[in-house]
Amino acid sequence: MVMVDYILHCDNVVTQTQTLVREDNRFVEDGKLLRSGLLEMIAQTCAARIGYLGAGKPVKIGVIGGVRDFEVFDVPYVGDTVTTEIDMTSEVFSAVLADAKVTCKGKVLAKCSMKVFVIDNA
């Protein structure tokens, strides 16, 4: 299940992705993306960052180590284009901490802090 259509920007601190909410998405119900789908978009943006920055190297796996202060203000509908942005706040050994937000049409839909552990897939 892929919930990132495009990487709009990626550097060592900020990553932005864009996704079109589709009817066949497993997190869509009654024409709306569920709250859990917003969290999955954040997790997949973290994974996209790991893959993008590690291009040409062996694939690494990101495992969610924790989610803090997850707030949902609204949800997008099928046909909406959603942007997810993560800002890396710290990176120690294999753990990264990111502040994240999901927006649509200039409106913040959700935000949280997410801890991800990066492990080698060897």
Side-chain angles (χ1 to χ4, degrees):
M1 154 189 63
V2 177
M3 292 180 64
V4 170
D5 292 333
Y6 302 101
I7 296 176
L8 301 175
H9 175 83
C10 186
D11 61 31
N12 287 328
V13 178
V14 176
T15 301
Q16 293 176 318
T17 62
Q18 192 172 65
T19 305
L20 174 66
V21 179
R22 294 176 178 79
E23 181 68 42
D24 64 351
N25 184 307
R26 70 174 41 169
F27 292 100
V28 167
E29 191 173 285
D30 298 325
K32 297 184 282 190
L33 188 71
L34 300 172
R35 296 165 51 101
S36 55
L38 293 170
L39 194 58
E40 181 64 21
M41 285 183 170
I42 293 168
Q44 287 201 19
T45 297
C46 290
R49 175 188 179 271
I50 293 166
Y52 185 85
L53 294 178
K57 298 177 186 170
V59 175
K60 294 187 177 193
I61 296 174
V63 178
I64 297 173
V67 176
R68 192 177 43 161
D69 301 324
F70 182 53
E71 295 182 78
V72 176
F73 308 104
D74 203 355
V75 294
Y77 291 84
V78 169
D80 284 342
T81 298
V82 177
T83 301
T84 305
E85 180 177 314
I86 58 169
D87 295 302
M88 303 310 295
T89 58
S90 65
E91 199 162 350
V92 179
F93 300 111
S94 66
V96 295
L97 182 61
D99 287 335
K101 67 179 176 181
V102 181
T103 61
C104 182
K105 301 176 186 172
K107 180 180 177 183
V108 176
L109 301 179
K111 65 179 185 172
C112 74
S113 291
M114 182 175 285
K115 184 185 303 181
V116 176
F117 292 98
V118 180
I119 56 176
D120 289 324
N121 189 20

